[in-house]
């Protein structure tokens, strides 16, 4: 199909200093959990984006010196010759498809703990980041930088920039964002210096200017020099010389970098979940930058709609459409727009499971795109699947995320697929969950698959068909896939941190009961030890229905795991503004006579709170009775010529939607495959030899001089 001329502007080349991006699609730097220890996975993952049409594809954050060590979070390094070769794999791969490769050089300053290198961290004035959440806490405070440290920082940046050029990068970054070292100089709270690098905005900007200058001197006219900067806090600070300190900073540096990459300050606002922020949420903070510089500006905003992208450019907000999450959910997004196939874009749902992968220090995972991170390791391409290895027919029972993804991928492979769903509508858990506060964008998991399935004549969907074991035997397909989901349990929670002690009763509910339309009376206690979104989102949902709600959890925070998906700060704000009472570190031990009894998770305290409906959001168990019923009938299976019965998704092991989609996809990829061809390659650093000496020698000089 031909491209819609309305979108032609997105495919105009953009000059960035000495290099030219072939179009306006810019895959910004983002962590993907693949460090230099997984160079082949990393290269293939980024190559896939270049193949999918992104004009620029950037690395994640890359440390310029061992004094910037974010372990155990997965960061890359550019410290020595082996590191150059490791990154060159990615630049070669990206260049093969005509894209530019960018590298985000990074020093974490007072935000890192240097747990591996054990070098004392440093920040402009010895100010430390004292995070509210244990995942980011450390107990070594940074030392204040002296002038020698500032010279050393400039030297490390220049050396890393030279290495970046040798590794083949086209765009080399100075990174003054997200609480990292140059950002710490920009903000007066971090920077209380009294020398030329502290005090006025002009002084606080000095280090960023010098970093840009040494980078340019190092790369010469071969590479562009980009500045990535967080402007949220600066924009909130008044300035005598400009509308805000952010304006003043941008005015002072206006044409110094070749490219402005503008963003917000903390992961939860910069990479905000769709539950709390719409597409384009950065615009109110960054819209002014374009007016103060002649250099191109790139920014993000979970852009998936080409019309929104065109709007950003035409309104003079951005020159390049930046994307991290949309490029993960669909590495082929630009190409689909180019080919007039916008309806095929697998739109990011803003769930932030990808971010949680970084927090978990593992390769990136995505709810929408099960192939991400598996391009090299399992040889999974997001747009191509192997044709079916047989004429087998497959029955998929259950059309939730697992069954839908499974049926779709089997259908793309050419199998004859029957997808049977008990309910009148497909979607499984999404039927209910997307109606909960803030979760409507998650409906894209269903919408995209429904749209794709409609084009596959070899997949037949039967709604309103609850199948029994006998029905399945009668249908007699070659393979049967059980994707029947899971049920929430009415179990309580013990001091041993496991679910125990069933609590039955007409006023005890689970999320399934609420999905089924149970009548809830207030006051309501939502008891959450699932720790992800369901507990807090149901509390919000029931509060909107007018009930008085108490939210109880044995964890220290509401939706404690949601710190991993950047949602937790907003969840706390949402519960607070809905007037929901919060009881953390508390377990429900009894519910009788209109009262719930709470025990302290670590103490013997007992508290009673009024309750007419108790909603337990805790353990879940697989709906695997169909599977169990078939497993005990091997002769009947043989008579029906059924060769395999396999559980996938929640029916195998209850999890988040990301697990269900992945499970369904993997089954479909691997059906009939020769086991010898099923790859699960283990990556390894590229020919790394012990190379500590040069780096440590430099460090020793540095410490002696300090
Ligand atoms: P998953 O996340 O693993 O996809 P879901 O709970 O979202 O699981 O979806 C499971 C789907 O399976 C639901 O839509 C449910 O109605 C359907 N289902 C459960 N049992 C049967 C059955 N016996 N026959 C057909 N569909 C079923
Ligand atoms: Fe988007 Fe969720 Fe995929 Fe991240 S994991 S790219 S937020 S769909």
């Amino acid at each position: 199909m031909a491209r819609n001329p309305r979108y032609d502007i997105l495919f105009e080349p953009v000059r960035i200093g000495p290099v030219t991006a072939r179009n306006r699609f810019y895959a910004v730097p983002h962590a993907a959990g693949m460090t230099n220890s997984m160079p082949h996975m990393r290269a293939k993952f980024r190559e896939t984006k270049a193949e999918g049409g992104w004009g620029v594809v950037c690395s994640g954050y890359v440390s310029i010196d061992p004094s910037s060590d974010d372990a155990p979070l997965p960061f890359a390094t550019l410290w020595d010759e082996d590191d150059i070769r490791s990154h060159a794999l990615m630049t070669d791969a990206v260049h093969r498809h005509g894209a530019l490769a960018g590298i985000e050089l990074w020093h974490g300053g007072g935000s890192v703990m240097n747990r591996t290198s054990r070098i004392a961290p440093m920040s402009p004035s010895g100010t430390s980041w004292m995070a509210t959440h244990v995942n980011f806490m450390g107990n070594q405070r940074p030392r204040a930088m002296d002038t020698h440290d500032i010279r050393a920082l400039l030297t490390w940046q220049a050396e890393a920039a030279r290495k970046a050029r040798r590794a083949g990068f086209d765009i080399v970054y100075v990174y003054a964002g997200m609480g990292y070292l140059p950002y710490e100089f920009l903000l007066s709270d971090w920077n209380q210096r009294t020398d030329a690098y502290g005090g006025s905005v002009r002084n606080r900007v000095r280090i960023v200017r010098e970093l840009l200058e040494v980078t340019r001197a190092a790369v010469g006219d071969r590479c562009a020099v980009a500045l990535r900067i967080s402007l949220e806090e600066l924009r909130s600070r008044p300035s005598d010389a400009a509308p805000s300190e952010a304006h003043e900073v941008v005015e002072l540096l206006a044409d110094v970098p070749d490219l402005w990459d503008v963003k917000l300050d903390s992961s939860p606002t910069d990479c905000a979940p769709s539950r709390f922020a719409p597409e384009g949420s950065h615009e109110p903070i960054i819209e002014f930058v374009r007016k103060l510089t002649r250099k191109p500006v790139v920014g993000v905003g979970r852009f998936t709609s080409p019309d929104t992208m065109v709007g950003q450019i035409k309104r003079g907000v951005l020159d390049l459409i930046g994307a991290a999450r949309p490029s993960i959910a669909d590495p082929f997004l630009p190409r689909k727009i180019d080919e007039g196939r916008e309806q095929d874009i697998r739109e990011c749902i803003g769930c932030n499971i990808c971010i949680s992968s970084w927090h978990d220090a593992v390769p990136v995972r995505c709810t929408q795109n099960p192939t991400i991170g598996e391009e090299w390791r399992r040889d999974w391409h997001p747009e191509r699947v192997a044709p079916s290895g047989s004429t087998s027919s497959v029955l998929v029972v259950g059309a939730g995320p697992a069954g839908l993804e499974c049926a779709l991928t089997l259908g793309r492979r050419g199998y004859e697929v029957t997808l049977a769903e008990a309910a009148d509508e497909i979607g499984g858990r999404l039927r209910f969950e997307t109606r909960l506060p803030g979760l409507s964008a998650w409906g894209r998991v269903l919408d995209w698959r429904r749209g794709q399935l409609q084009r596959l004549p070899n997949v037949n969907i039967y709604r309103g068909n609850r199948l029994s074991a006998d029905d399945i035997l009668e249908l007699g397909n070659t393979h049967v896939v059980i994707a029947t989901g899971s049920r929430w349990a009415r179990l309580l929670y013990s001091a041993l941190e496991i679910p125990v002690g069933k609590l039955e009763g007409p006023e005890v509910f689970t999320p399934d009961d609420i999905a089924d339309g149970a009548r809830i009376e207030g006051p309501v206690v939502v008891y959450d030890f699932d720790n992800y979104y369901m507990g807090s989102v149901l509390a919000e949902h029931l509060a909107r229905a007018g009930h008085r709600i108490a939210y109880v959890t044995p964890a220290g925070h509401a939706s404690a795991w949601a710190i991993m998906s950047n949602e937790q700060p907003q969840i706390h704000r949402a519960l607070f503004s809905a007037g929901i009472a919060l009881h953390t570190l508390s377990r429900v031990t009894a519910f009788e006579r209109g009262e719930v009894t709470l025990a302290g998770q670590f103490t013997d305290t007992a508290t009673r709170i009024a309750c007419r409906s108790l909603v337990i959001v805790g353990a879940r168990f697989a709906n695997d009775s169909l599977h169990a019923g078939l497993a005990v009938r091997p002769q009947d299976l043989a008579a029906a010529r059924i060769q395999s019965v396999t559980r996938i998704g929640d029916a195998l092991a209850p999890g988040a939607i990301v697990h269900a989609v992945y499970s369904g996809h993997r089954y479909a990829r691997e059906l009939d495959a020769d086991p010898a061809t099923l790859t699960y390659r283990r990556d390894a650093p590229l020919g790394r030899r012990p190379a500590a000496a040069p780096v440590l020698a430099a460090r020793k000089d540095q410490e002696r001089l300090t």
Side-chain angles (χ1 to χ4, degrees):
M1 262 189 285
R3 178 165 86 208
N4 185 331
R6 208 164 65 234
Y7 305 140
D8 284 352
I9 193 170
L10 299 173
F11 293 88
E12 290 171 353
V14 179
R15 190 150 184 84
I16 307 172
V19 296
T20 301
R22 63 179 159 175
N23 59 34
R24 296 183 188 267
F25 293 95
Y26 194 110
V28 293
H30 71 84
M34 291 168 251
T35 64
N36 292 27
S37 64
M38 300 177 188
H40 301 91
M41 281 176 71
R42 181 174 63 182
K44 195 74 188 168
F45 153 70
R46 303 223 187 254
E47 175 176 3
T48 306
K49 296 193 194 190
E51 186 192 353
W54 298 88
V56 180
V57 179
C58 293
S59 70
Y61 65 149
V62 180
S63 167
I64 58 174
D65 182 79
S67 59
S68 181
D69 153 22
D70 217 8
L73 291 170
F75 65 102
T77 55
L78 189 48
W79 297 344
D80 59 24
E81 292 295 313
D82 285 338
D83 285 346
I84 295 177
R85 293 194 303 124
S86 179
H87 288 288
L89 269 188
M90 174 243 179
T91 58
D92 285 348
V94 163
H95 289 157
R96 270 200 289 280
H97 300 276
L100 299 175
I103 181 167
E104 183 182 56
L105 298 181
W106 160 79
H107 198 294
S111 293
V112 293
M113 303 297 160
N114 295 342
R115 292 178 174 94
T116 302
S117 69
R118 302 189 70 174
I119 294 167
M122 57 187 192
S123 71
S125 314
T127 310
S128 51
W129 183 31
M130 301 183 75
T132 47
H133 198 279
V134 69
N135 286 50
F136 301 106
M137 287 177 191
N139 33 34
Q140 186 169 27
R141 307 297 168 218
R143 65 191 174 84
M145 292 170 75
D146 61 20
T147 49
H148 175 84
D149 296 317
I150 290 178
R151 281 204 308 280
L153 174 67
L154 293 168
T155 306
W156 299 329
Q157 172 76 18
E159 284 180 4
R162 273 189 286 276
K163 290 187 178 81
R165 187 185 59 184
R166 285 177 54 212
F169 285 100
D170 309 287
I171 301 173
V172 180
Y173 270 76
V174 169
Y175 190 12
M178 304 286 274
Y180 299 131
L181 187 50
Y183 169 94
E184 294 165 13
F185 274 87
L186 290 175
L187 274 191
S188 55
D189 318 51
W190 278 91
N191 181 354
Q192 284 129 35
R193 300 177 71 91
T194 52
D195 63 4
Y197 293 92
S200 64
V201 173
R202 184 176 291 274
N203 276 2
R204 283 183 263 139
V205 163
R206 189 180 309 277
I207 192 71
V208 178
R209 177 187 291 275
E210 289 177 358
L211 286 164
L212 289 165
E213 286 167 356
V214 297
T215 306
R216 186 173 304 289
V219 299
D221 57 8
R222 240 275 287 125
C223 313
V225 177
L227 173 60
R228 194 168 214 211
I229 188 165
S230 293
L231 296 171
E232 195 178 3
E233 276 295 332
L234 287 166
R235 184 127 199 209
S236 70
R237 316 260 158 136
S239 150
D240 294 335
S244 75
E245 288 200 348
H247 290 75
E248 204 180 337
V249 167
V250 176
E251 276 169 12
L252 285 167
L253 295 173
D255 291 338
V256 182
D258 295 317
L259 171 78
W260 283 87
D261 180 339
V262 289
K263 62 184 325 210
L264 307 196
D265 295 39
S266 74
S267 205
T269 53
D270 187 59
C271 194
S274 61
R275 183 171 163 188
F276 299 105
E279 186 175 4
S281 63
H282 289 206
E283 187 175 332
I285 305 291
I286 58 85
E287 48 58 49
F288 72 94
V289 177
R290 186 72 193 72
K291 300 179 184 77
L292 299 181
T293 175
R294 286 172 297 170
K295 301 304 170 92
V297 178
V298 62
V300 296
R302 202 164 44 77
F303 298 122
T304 55
S305 147
D307 290 311
T308 307
M309 298 174 195
V310 169
Q312 291 280 312
I313 292 158
K314 290 206 166 152
R315 288 188 294 112
V317 181
L318 299 174
D319 298 288
L320 292 141
I321 301 301
R325 290 173 292 176
S327 73
I328 295 171
D330 197 339
F332 275 60
L333 179 151
R335 218 201 250 199
K336 288 176 182 174
I337 299 172
D338 196 18
E339 293 171 358
R341 297 194 292 125
E342 300 82 68
Q343 71 285 1
D344 287 342
I345 296 173
R346 199 171 35 237
E347 292 182 293
C348 167
I349 68 166
C351 63
N352 284 355
I353 285 293
C354 48
I355 312 287
S356 77
S357 319
W358 175 64
H359 291 146
D360 277 338
V362 295
V364 63
R365 300 161 296 200
C366 172
T367 299
Q368 274 285 55
N369 177 9
T371 68
I372 206 79
E374 303 289 7
E375 301 86 350
W376 181 85
R377 193 169 69 162
R378 290 195 191 271
D379 213 5
W380 288 359
H381 189 279
E383 301 299 308
R384 290 192 290 273
V385 287
S388 62
S390 71
T391 53
S392 309
S393 66
V394 188
L395 170 67
V396 179
V397 187
L404 286 167
E405 176 65 22
C406 186
L408 174 60
T409 308
L410 289 169
R412 287 169 65 205
R413 291 190 61 196
Y415 285 98
E416 283 300 320
V417 182
T418 303
L419 176 59
E421 167 54 52
D424 292 336
E425 275 308 320
I426 59 173
R429 60 195 285 180
L430 294 168
R431 288 193 299 269
F432 171 60
E433 294 184 11
T434 53
R435 288 191 273 122
L436 295 172
L439 299 189
S440 63
W442 292 23
R444 293 170 171 188
V445 171
L446 169 59
D447 295 342
W448 184 77
R449 285 166 182 80
R450 184 180 11 226
Q452 300 293 306
L453 280 164
Q454 271 161 5
R455 300 203 214 136
L456 291 175
N458 51 326
V459 180
N460 291 300
I461 304 178
Y462 296 91
R463 298 169 176 81
N465 266 278
R466 178 172 293 281
L467 299 189
S468 63
D470 285 335
D471 296 330
I472 292 170
L473 289 166
E474 197 174 313
L475 286 166
N477 292 271
T478 328
H479 300 286
V480 176
V481 183
I482 305 291
T484 47
S486 63
R487 295 288 292 176
W488 294 88
R490 284 178 173 71
L491 294 179
L492 294 178
Y493 185 79
S494 87
L496 290 179
E497 305 188 325
I498 53 171
V500 290
K502 207 162 195 181
L503 193 61
E504 292 289 4
E507 293 158 336
V508 181
F509 302 95
T510 69
D512 294 317
D513 300 322
I514 298 176
D516 292 344
R519 189 176 151 69
I520 302 291
E521 289 182 29
V524 181
V525 170
V526 175
Y527 180 36
D528 179 13
F529 52 93
D530 171 64
N531 294 326
Y532 191 18
Y533 60 92
M534 184 56 84
S536 59
V537 93
L538 273 186
E540 265 192 278
H541 172 68
L542 294 169
R544 284 185 191 186
H547 300 302
R548 179 149 62 92
I549 311 286
Y551 172 95
V552 178
T553 179
H557 293 71
S559 286
W561 189 84
I563 187 73
M564 309 296 269
S565 53
N566 281 353
E567 291 162 296
Q568 202 186 64
Q570 297 97 317
I571 288 174
H572 274 263
R573 269 197 287 277
L575 296 183
F576 177 76
S577 44
I580 294 168
L582 195 59
H583 300 263
T584 55
L585 298 176
S586 300
R587 275 182 295 124
V588 170
T589 52
F591 175 30
E592 51 196 1
R593 288 187 290 280
E595 275 186 343
V596 153
T597 306
L598 308 183
Q601 176 63 4
F602 304 127
T603 60
D604 292 332
T605 49
T607 318
R608 286 191 178 77
I609 47 178
C611 173
R612 287 188 61 193
S613 303
L614 172 65
V615 182
I616 303 177
V617 185
R620 278 159 72 202
F621 294 98
N623 288 334
D624 56 2
S625 55
L626 256 191
H627 183 265
L630 289 166
V632 294
R633 297 171 68 177
Q635 281 154 355
D636 293 342
L637 288 170
R641 297 181 189 280
I642 295 175
Q643 290 176 11
S644 72
V645 182
T646 310
R647 285 167 295 179
I648 61 167
D650 292 336
L652 176 66
I657 299 167
V658 62
H659 302 111
V661 170
Y662 186 87
S663 169
H665 190 83
R666 184 170 166 208
Y667 172 89
R669 284 264 179 186
E670 297 185 350
L671 184 62
D672 290 328
D674 174 356
T677 66
L678 292 180
T679 56
Y680 181 77
R681 293 191 197 113
R682 294 183 68 191
D683 209 348
L686 210 66
R688 171 159 286 288
R689 300 169 299 279
V695 174
L696 286 181
R699 170 63 37 197
K700 215 169 160 197
D701 287 342
Q702 147 74 6
E703 283 177 355
R704 204 169 40 233
L705 283 166
T706 311

